[in-house]
């Protein structure tokens, strides 16, 4: 027996040549994923520089800076589901290559932008590329790893997503200390080139061998609904008012269109997404947990940047370094979450992870203006470990609930809930932070003599605006700076309590609906309640192992993966 034969698992449905290079393929997928996730978090630390007048920056206004971020988010979220369907129909490798090429071209153009308008437009182009890349990476993973190895591979995949979000600020800070603002985009180019070459050589193509007729109405409804919903969430965060008519109309319109999408999919003979998956409690609980854990993660990274830089006085690069324990903890524990699931079950593991996230969120109330920084680092480590025991099991539950040929649409659903959860985290927690801060600082600003109503309102928008006023006041503004720091810490405490409540609600959902040690597929994350051999035999016969259609015959699967 050859080395390859001895390495391949029993009842293998993956060609040997692909199985042999599966870990190298995972490394390429992680590289592709890294730049897409890293880019947005890198941009956050470059905002102040881009707002500086030329030649240092572009002289972008606050609104233009927001749209430099939001143009990417809006396009990315709106096209995620469509890109997953394109990968299933036309080949995931082709979609990945096209997405990387678009992302690289958009990065070059964004780095060379001569105006804020150009930057916004090129960021939207990067969003198109990112949307093509994100779902396809997980879909390819599902088609190069056997079922028993998928949990470990997905643990590494999910860990790299969280780590990239946390590593971004450090990378951006380091680049800005040595290069011009456009370097935060140009850094993507060499990574894209390496990823394109490695992908062309290593990654096999795969697609749905029988995709059926294209569901054009469903695709259009999904794009319009997601764009309207995400736009409304973003706008609500910008205005710090979710009762504004524009916000209500766009969010309500988005939800109405998505409801129409659901009705259409239920009646269609060739649905883009089989809505029966959502009838399964483990699947629905898993996508809810994904949204909530990223709600917490994005919310933390949003306000923590202001705490470390504005209140504690750290530079952007130092702030990035402070976030590294969060990234390292996620990456370390995510690849080992499978062990906890095998021993305790998916339900217990995910619930414990969300409880750890909720506890660390609540523990952020311990942070003050002069708390030893090691306290923050310990909280980051625990929070990263908690998140790492949530995202891999729920991702496995989602992906193993769907047949392999629908891996693209399954990955898209996973990423849509991830993206919407993150956007809501920034918008909702950001609005709460702003309202709590203004409620505390307004009294101080009202006592300042000679300050107009408009100037008082502007100074109360954020800690940075208050500090800018204090600097213009000279030595007399020192007391105002101290009050601003105290007001921000108070607002942060209010925000983390709310975030902890959200994470706690997620733990309840998981405890009620996620499968236990012998639950439905995906909940086991490597568990074999029926025995791996029996499961392999069922897959070879084409029988479903969970949701209708979750099993595929061996011949069809081998035909699906092209060497």
């Amino acid at each position: 027996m050859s080395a390859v034969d001895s390495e391949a698992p029993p009842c293998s449905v993956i060609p040997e040549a692909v199985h042999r290079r599966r870990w190298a393929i995972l490394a390429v997928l992680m590289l592709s994923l890294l730049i897409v996730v890293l880019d947005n978090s890198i941009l956050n630390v470059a905002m102040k520089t881009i707002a500086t007048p030329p030649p240092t920056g572009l002289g972008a206004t606050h609104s233009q800076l927001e749209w430099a971020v939001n143009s990417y988010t809006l396009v990315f979220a709106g096209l995620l589901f469509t890109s997953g369907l394109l990968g299933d129909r036309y080949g995931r490798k082709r979609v990945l290559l096209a997405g990387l090429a678009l992302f690289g071209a958009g990065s070059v153009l964004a780095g060379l932008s001569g105006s804020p308008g150009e930057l916004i437009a090129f960021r939207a182009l990067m969003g198109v590329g990112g949307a093509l890349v994100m779902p396809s990476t997980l879909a390819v993973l599902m088609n190069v790893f056997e079922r028993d190895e998928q949990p470990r591979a997905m643990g590494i995949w999910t860990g790299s997503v969280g780590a990239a979000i946390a590593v971004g600020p450090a990378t951006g800070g380091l680049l800005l200390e040595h290069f011009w603002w456009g370097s935060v985009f140009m850094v993507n180019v060499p990574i894209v080139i390496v990823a394109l070459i490695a992908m062309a050589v290593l990654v096999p193509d795969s697609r749905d061998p029988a995709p059926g007729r294209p569901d054009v109405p469903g695709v259009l409804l999904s794009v319009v609904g997601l764009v309207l919903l995400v736009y409304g969430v973003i706008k609500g965060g910008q205005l710090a008012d979710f009762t504004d008519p524009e916000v209500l109309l766009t969010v309500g319109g988005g939800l109405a269109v998505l409801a129409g999408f659901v009705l259409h999919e239920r009646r269609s003979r060739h649905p883009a997404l089989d809505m029966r998956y959502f009838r399964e409690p483990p699947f629905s609980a898993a996508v809810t947990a994904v949204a909530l854990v990223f709600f917490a993660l994005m919310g933390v990274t949003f306000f923590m940047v202001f705490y470390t830089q504005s209140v504690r006085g750290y530079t952007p690069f130092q702030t990035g370094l402070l976030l590294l324990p969060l990234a390292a903890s996620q990456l370390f524990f995510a690849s080992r979450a499978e062990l906890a699931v095998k021993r305790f079950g998916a339900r217990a593991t995910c619930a414990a992870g969300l409880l750890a996230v909720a506890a660390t969120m609540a523990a952020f109330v311990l942070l003050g203006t002069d708390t030893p920084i090691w306290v923050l680092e310990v909280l980051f480590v625990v929070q990263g470990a908690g998140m790492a025991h949530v995202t891999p099991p729920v991702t496995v539950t989602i992906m193993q609930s769907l047949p392999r040929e629908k891996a693209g649409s399954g990955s898209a659903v996973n990423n849509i809930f991830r993206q919407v959860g993150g956007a809501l985290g920034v918008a909702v927690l950001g609005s709460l932070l702003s309202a709590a801060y203004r409620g505390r600082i307004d009294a101080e600003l009202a006592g300042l003599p000679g300050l107009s109503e408009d100037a008082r309102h502007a100074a109360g928008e954020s800690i940075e605006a208050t500090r800018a006023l204090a600097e213009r006041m000279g030595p007399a503004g020192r007391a105002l700076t101290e009050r601003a720091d105290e007001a921000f810490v108070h607002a942060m405490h209010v925000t983390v309590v709310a975030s902890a409540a959200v994470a706690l609600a997620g733990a309840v959902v998981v405890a009620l609906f996620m499968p236990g040690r012998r639950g439905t597929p995906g909940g086991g994350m490597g568990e074999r309640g029926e025995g791996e051999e029996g499961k392999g035999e069922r897959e070879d016969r084409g029988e479903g192992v969970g949701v209708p259609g979750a099993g595929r015959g061996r011949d069809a699967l081998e035909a699906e993966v092209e060497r």
Side-chain angles (χ1 to χ4, degrees):
M1 182 179 292
S2 67
V4 172
D5 291 333
S6 62
E7 183 186 11
C11 302
S12 173
V13 294
I14 306 296
E16 290 181 5
V18 174
H19 178 79
R20 185 172 52 202
R21 62 178 188 265
R22 64 198 184 284
W23 296 109
I25 292 171
L26 178 60
V28 177
L29 297 178
M30 288 178 61
L31 189 64
S32 306
L33 186 68
L34 177 68
I35 57 171
V36 173
V37 179
L38 195 68
D39 181 75
N40 244 7
S41 54
I42 282 181
L43 181 59
N44 289 334
V45 300
M47 291 298 191
K48 189 173 182 179
T49 306
I50 295 174
T52 306
T56 303
L58 293 177
T61 64
H62 182 71
S63 176
Q64 290 169 332
L65 288 174
E66 288 181 334
W67 278 110
V69 174
N70 294 334
S71 62
Y72 178 95
T73 302
L74 202 60
V75 173
F76 181 80
L79 294 180
L80 273 175
F81 183 66
T82 303
S83 69
L85 296 177
L86 289 175
D88 287 344
R89 178 172 292 273
Y90 299 110
R92 290 133 193 164
K93 180 177 180 177
R94 294 178 183 178
V95 171
L96 264 173
L97 291 171
L100 280 172
L102 280 175
F103 193 87
S107 297
V108 172
L109 294 171
L112 298 176
S113 296
S115 69
E118 290 182 5
L119 177 61
I120 293 169
F122 296 139
R123 285 281 296 162
L125 178 61
M126 293 173 68
V128 176
L132 292 174
V133 170
M134 192 79 167
S136 296
T137 57
L138 189 52
V140 169
L141 183 154
M142 290 294 294
N143 283 274
V144 299
F145 282 91
E146 296 289 354
R147 190 178 182 86
D148 62 336
E149 284 190 322
Q150 286 171 3
R152 183 183 175 195
M154 276 189 264
I156 296 172
W157 185 91
T158 56
S160 66
V161 173
I165 292 173
V167 167
T171 307
L174 183 63
L175 289 169
L176 291 174
E177 284 189 1
H178 297 89
F179 305 102
W180 93 113
W181 66 267
S183 63
V184 299
F185 299 109
M186 291 299 185
V187 70
N188 297 328
V189 178
I191 303 176
V192 166
I193 293 172
V194 172
L196 283 171
I197 295 172
M199 191 171 296
V201 174
L202 294 172
V203 177
D205 202 0
S206 62
R207 62 172 63 85
D208 185 348
R213 291 186 309 181
D215 181 14
V216 176
V219 169
L220 292 177
L221 285 171
S222 72
V223 172
V224 174
L226 286 169
V227 167
L228 285 174
L229 176 61
V230 175
Y231 176 84
V233 170
I234 291 171
K235 196 66 180 178
Q238 288 177 342
L239 299 174
D241 182 9
F242 284 87
T243 63
D244 182 86
E246 183 180 359
V247 175
L248 292 176
L249 284 173
T250 49
V251 170
L255 292 174
V257 173
L258 290 175
F261 167 76
V262 171
L263 292 175
H264 170 78
E265 295 302 288
R266 291 180 64 182
R267 296 174 180 176
S268 175
R269 298 182 63 181
H270 302 279
L273 177 63
D274 192 338
M275 302 309 298
R276 289 179 297 174
Y277 298 130
F278 289 93
R279 295 178 185 173
E280 298 294 323
F283 183 87
S284 296
V287 294
T288 301
V290 164
L292 292 178
V293 77
F294 270 79
F295 182 103
L297 176 61
M298 296 305 292
V300 165
T301 54
F302 174 77
F303 66 71
M304 198 52 62
V305 167
F306 289 99
Y307 172 73
T308 54
Q309 292 188 41
S310 300
V311 176
R312 303 305 297 269
Y314 291 99
T315 66
F317 177 57
Q318 290 171 331
T319 296
L321 293 179
L322 291 175
L323 287 169
L324 287 181
L326 177 64
S329 180
Q330 286 188 80
L331 196 57
F332 178 82
F333 286 104
S335 61
R336 292 160 176 80
E338 178 188 6
L339 302 176
V341 175
K342 284 181 177 178
R343 182 169 182 179
F344 303 108
R347 179 190 299 135
T349 301
C350 291
L354 279 164
L355 286 174
V357 171
T360 51
M361 281 291 184
F364 280 128
V365 299
L366 300 174
L367 300 177
T369 57
D370 56 358
T371 305
I373 205 64
W374 64 262
V375 175
L376 176 63
E377 301 304 280
V378 170
L379 292 176
F380 276 161
V381 170
V382 177
Q383 188 172 59
M387 290 178 174
H389 284 86
V390 178
T391 48
V394 297
T395 302
V396 171
T397 299
I398 294 168
M399 296 304 297
Q400 289 191 348
S401 293
L402 278 68
R404 287 192 199 223
E405 68 270 22
K406 301 297 182 184
S409 57
S411 176
V413 169
N414 177 62
N415 285 298
I416 286 169
F417 277 82
R418 195 184 292 261
Q419 186 70 22
V420 172
L424 279 170
V426 172
V428 174
L429 296 179
S431 299
L432 181 59
L433 183 79
S434 177
Y437 177 76
R438 181 179 289 280
R440 179 60 68 96
I441 200 65
D442 269 353
E444 297 292 333
L445 296 173
L448 296 178
L451 196 63
S452 67
E453 185 65 29
D454 289 342
R456 185 181 298 114
H457 181 81
E461 286 185 352
S462 66
I463 185 174
E464 286 296 323
T466 308
R467 279 177 161 268
L469 173 63
E471 289 179 5
R472 292 195 298 270
M473 294 171 60
R478 186 174 303 169
L480 180 60
T481 298
E482 293 177 358
R483 299 289 86 76
D485 291 347
E486 293 170 359
F488 182 86
V489 169
H490 163 76
M492 185 177 73
H493 291 169
V494 173
T495 305
V496 297
V497 169
S499 187
V502 171
L504 190 60
V508 173
V509 171
V510 164
L512 291 175
F513 300 110
M514 280 286 284
R517 297 192 63 187
R518 294 180 182 272
T520 57
M525 194 179 174
E527 301 160 39
R528 300 170 179 81
E530 61 179 313
E532 190 62 37
E533 294 181 3
K535 183 170 63 180
E537 291 171 1
R538 290 180 62 194
E539 289 176 342
D540 284 348
R541 293 197 303 267
E543 297 178 13
V545 193
V547 180
R552 296 252 11 258
R554 176 188 177 97
D555 295 339
L557 280 169
E558 288 185 338
E560 182 183 333
V561 181
E562 299 173 6
R563 297 186 182 217

